[in-house]
Amino acid sequence: MQIQDLPYSDPGVPDARSGPRFLWWLGRNQLGGQFKALAWGLLHFVAVSALPFCVGFAVQAVVDRSGTRLALTGGLLLLCGAAIAVGDTFLHRAAVTNWITAAARVQQLLARQATRLGSALTRRVAAGEVVAVSTGDVEKIGWFVEAVSRFTAAALTVVVVGVGLLFYQPALGWVVAAGLPLVALAVLPLLPRATRRADLQRAKAGRATELASDTVAGLRVLRGIGGEDLFLDRYRRASQEVRRAAVRSARMWSLIAAIQVLVPGLLLIAVVWHGVHLARQGRVTVGELVTVYSSVMILNYPLQHFTEIAMAYSFSRPSAQRAARVLSLDRATDTGGSRADAAPHGDLYDPDTGLLALTGRLTAVVCGDPDAAGRLAERLGGHPAEAGPSVLLGGVPLDELPLPTARTAVLVQDKDPVLLSGSLRELLDVPASGAVRAGDALAAAQCADVLEALVQGSLDVTDPLDARITERGRSLSGGQRQRLALARSLITDPEVLVLDEPTSAVDSHTEARIAEGIREMRSGRTTVLFTSSPLLLDRADRVVLVHEGEVEAVGTHRELLAAEPRYRAVVTRETAGEADFRNTRDEDAAARDGALGKHGTHEQRETAPRGGALEEIEESA
């Protein structure tokens, strides 16, 4: 896989049982790139390690006054230089390719998982953790994957040089052979502590990122209630904890780096001290001593990759653990699309609650618990929070449909829709049936003032569709964001559209016009509307009252308002005390009517009160 060939047509099925298993799976899926980087790494490191031998031959040739050997050694030096340049160039190219392709594979896996889980993802994993995994963690995972091949090349080079010195000069070679394992393994006792400190740093950084993400997302609300300083102080404290953890981690890695300098230095001193004694005894030549000394010096270069791989694994392991945790999540119900040939059309029915949305009708759902309403809306869209009977569309379970088919058939707009940054034209460029034009959808969602605000806030823009929208639509009010999101949903024109409180941040006059726009735009299409607004409920074909997870009553808005106390309490926001007072007044009125019927005159019965003020309000509604 080359960078220009990205993205992958299929990133594969990851082994997400643990972080190390996920890293191993990534490495196995890039064996071609790993072997390529290993080959170029061996060429580079072996050529670098051959320089001391060339220098030793040259020194010995000068001592022996041999011009031929000196010229031959010069040619070998040129050859080693060319090999170093070529090897280093293509090693870097192969390593960077491995890094980017591994990171791209992880990003595709995360994107596919987010698409598959939908809204269930943020319920099961904190938003800050998802952000951390998809940004910084991806780079650290890619770093370890590409460092493996360079470390392997460096380790093989160290082994080759050690064995070569044993054959080249056994009297000094055994000192190097005995010292190299100590140099390579000297830092192993410190790695667990360094890893724990790095894990703690990453955990604190993840919590700080989550806190910052939540603070920025709710900045407008925080400013409105005066809580901005409170959350900023919390973030400052979290940031200081990250700084202290980073300093403690850096101290341990500094100690490891110091040992990586100290131990090879001690080995070099031992080689020189023993070599000088051997040279004085005539057991080694000057050229051999220079060769062994230079080899030990050069070996510091490949030995540095031992520290790098330890750091890469230390930092990538918690990142891989977080990625594996996200990738291991499963949908509450998933049959793998066993009904791939089905083309569902008809009523939408939820066996769990008994909710039935008739095809081609506007069904309003009233639920006293907003959280329960949100969960029910997600169930209707095929995103159940927990296992249970599947929602049926035309008698076909949504769970048995391929995910793209199910999501084309049923679209859910939650109560907090997200607007991506870009132009309005890009925002409305969504998969759609083509039957609804952008202008009609914007008009139905009452977006005229939103378009004016976007044009005024953009420079050199005359067409509202070319106006820019900031990230998450932060420059717009809550009502403006809701209306743009509603227009986007109307353009999609799905078989079934589920809207969860689409006008909760809109004034009553605009809400009334939006209700008419939705009814007209969705005529002949199935629409489910979760709301408690009388303006929307009065325009629905059917209203369903859901209480404690079950359908309790079905009818029109006015029928339920008159006959169902629970419905009336939710829609009118009537308290228990007000309900008791109204019931007592109704009983008194009924008693008076009865008394007048027996003893009063016709005029007295006509002037007797017919009910409380609340009844008059209900009748006018």
Side-chain angles (χ1 to χ4, degrees):
M1 172 64 71
Q2 298 298 318
I3 295 176
Q4 61 266 24
D5 297 328
L6 293 173
Y8 291 95
S9 57
D10 180 11
V13 180
D15 186 349
R17 288 176 290 178
S18 66
R21 287 179 180 272
F22 180 59
L23 292 174
W24 174 248
W25 178 83
L26 282 175
R28 285 191 292 108
N29 277 270
Q30 291 189 277
L31 288 179
Q34 294 288 354
F35 281 124
K36 185 181 296 185
L38 175 61
W40 292 116
L42 283 174
L43 175 63
H44 173 65
F45 288 123
V46 170
V48 170
S49 301
L51 289 177
F53 291 91
C54 295
V55 172
F57 291 152
V59 170
Q60 192 61 42
V62 172
V63 171
D64 297 340
R65 299 180 181 275
S66 173
T68 302
R69 282 190 294 164
L70 184 61
L72 180 61
T73 303
L76 289 176
L77 282 172
L78 289 175
L79 183 61
C80 287
I84 291 172
V86 173
D88 190 26
T89 299
F90 286 95
L91 169 61
H92 179 75
R93 180 184 179 88
V96 171
T97 299
N98 289 337
W99 187 336
I100 293 177
T101 52
R105 186 187 295 272
V106 177
Q107 286 179 327
Q108 280 188 246
L109 290 171
L110 292 171
R112 185 177 68 182
Q113 182 74 337
T115 302
R116 190 171 69 92
L117 293 177
S119 59
L121 176 61
T122 52
R123 287 198 306 265
R124 301 167 68 180
V125 180
E129 184 171 350
V130 176
V131 172
V133 171
S134 59
T135 54
D137 286 341
V138 168
E139 294 186 3
K140 292 178 177 61
I141 293 172
W143 175 28
F144 174 76
V145 171
E146 68 89 11
V148 168
S149 55
R150 290 189 289 111
F151 163 73
T152 305
L156 290 176
T157 301
V158 170
V159 172
V160 169
V161 171
V163 173
L165 289 177
L166 278 174
F167 284 98
Y168 176 71
Q169 179 44 255
L172 286 175
W174 72 266
V175 178
V176 178
L180 285 178
L182 295 176
V183 173
L185 304 177
V187 298
L188 284 183
L190 299 177
L191 287 180
R193 181 177 298 179
T195 301
R196 287 195 297 271
R197 292 189 179 185
D199 290 348
L200 180 61
Q201 176 196 350
R202 307 307 299 175
K204 290 183 178 294
R207 286 195 291 270
T209 301
E210 180 179 350
L211 180 60
S213 176
D214 293 342
T215 301
V216 171
L219 193 58
R220 184 188 296 271
V221 177
L222 291 176
R223 286 175 175 171
I225 63 175
E228 183 180 3
D229 292 337
L230 175 63
F231 275 80
L232 287 177
D233 288 340
R234 289 182 181 178
Y235 180 74
R236 289 190 186 98
R237 290 194 296 270
S239 178
Q240 289 302 312
E241 290 181 5
V242 175
R243 180 189 62 81
R244 287 190 289 269
V247 169
R248 293 185 71 247
S249 179
R251 286 174 180 168
M252 184 57 64
W253 288 112
S254 298
L255 178 59
I256 291 175
I259 292 176
Q260 286 290 87
V261 174
L262 175 63
V263 177
L266 294 176
L267 175 60
L268 188 61
I269 292 173
V271 169
V272 172
W273 180 82
H274 186 59
V276 168
H277 282 282
L278 293 178
R280 291 177 61 184
Q281 296 172 8
R283 296 172 59 184
V284 299
T285 64
V286 175
E288 290 173 339
L289 178 59
V290 170
T291 298
V292 176
Y293 170 80
S294 301
S295 296
V296 175
M297 287 286 294
I298 290 295
L299 282 178
N300 283 330
Y301 173 52
L303 284 171
Q304 291 175 358
H305 290 79
F306 285 71
T307 303
E308 182 193 8
I309 195 65
M311 292 183 66
Y313 180 73
S314 173
F315 282 94
S316 66
R317 187 178 63 83
S319 297
Q321 191 68 42
R322 282 193 290 267
R325 180 176 174 233
V326 174
L327 295 175
S328 64
L329 299 176
D330 290 326
R331 289 172 54 84
T333 54
D334 190 358
T335 60
S338 57
R339 302 282 292 273
D341 57 340
H345 176 77
D347 299 339
L348 185 69
Y349 177 67
D350 178 24
D352 190 46
T353 60
L355 173 63
L356 175 65
L358 299 178
T359 181
R361 308 291 292 277
L362 174 59
T363 303
V365 180
V366 175
C367 187
D369 184 359
D371 293 333
R375 291 191 295 270
L376 178 55
E378 291 169 354
R379 276 184 52 79
L380 295 180
H383 311 286
E386 53 190 21
S390 174
V391 171
L392 306 178
L393 178 60
V396 179
L398 287 180
D399 292 342
E400 296 182 7
L401 295 174
L403 201 56
T405 303
R407 290 183 174 174
T408 301
V410 183
L411 175 67
V412 178
Q413 177 183 306
D414 61 21
K415 58 172 62 71
D416 187 22
V418 176
L419 302 183
L420 301 179
S421 60
S423 68
L424 181 58
R425 191 185 308 276
E426 293 170 341
L427 176 71
L428 301 180
D429 185 15
V430 292
S433 65
V436 179
R437 297 183 303 172
D440 295 337
L442 290 168
Q446 300 298 312
C447 293
D449 62 317
V450 184
L451 301 181
E452 292 179 4
L454 289 174
V455 171
Q456 292 175 0
S458 303
L459 297 176
D460 301 328
V461 172
T462 56
D463 188 349
L465 293 179
D466 294 327
R468 303 293 297 179
I469 298 175
T470 58
E471 181 185 2
R472 300 180 68 90
R474 299 190 193 282
S475 61
L476 302 173
S477 68
Q480 290 173 330
R481 288 196 298 270
Q482 274 191 339
R483 283 178 281 166
L484 284 180
L486 176 59
R488 180 178 59 186
S489 299
L490 292 175
I491 289 175
T492 304
D493 190 35
E495 179 72 22
V496 179
L497 177 60
V498 180
L499 302 173
D500 187 6
E501 294 289 354
T503 59
S504 59
V506 177
D507 63 84
S508 58
H509 297 289
T510 306
E511 187 177 36
R513 294 194 295 269
I514 290 176
E516 292 296 337
I518 293 176
R519 186 173 181 85
E520 180 181 352
M521 185 65 64
R522 294 290 298 172
S523 177
R525 307 290 261 171
T526 307
T527 306
V528 181
L529 189 63
F530 286 81
T531 184
S532 60
S533 169
L535 291 172
L536 295 178
L537 293 170
D538 195 41
R539 287 162 176 80
D541 298 317
R542 297 172 74 248
V543 179
V544 179
L545 173 63
V546 177
H547 179 67
E548 294 184 352
E550 293 183 357
V551 172
E552 186 164 302
V554 180
T556 65
H557 167 61
R558 302 192 182 199
E559 292 171 351
L560 295 180
L561 196 64
E564 292 293 333
R566 285 199 181 95
Y567 179 84
R568 185 166 50 243
V570 174
V571 174
T572 65
R573 277 72 168 176
E574 183 181 65
T575 64
E578 292 171 340
D580 293 339
F581 176 75
R582 184 182 57 77
N583 291 334
T584 301
R585 187 168 53 189
D586 289 346
E587 291 174 359
D588 293 342
R592 286 195 300 271
D593 287 343
L596 290 172
K598 292 181 179 179
H599 308 290
T601 64
H602 175 75
E603 290 77 8
Q604 287 174 322
R605 289 197 299 269
E606 288 296 324
T607 58
R610 297 175 56 196
L614 182 61
E615 288 184 353
E616 296 178 0
I617 294 175
E618 292 172 358
E619 291 175 1
S620 64

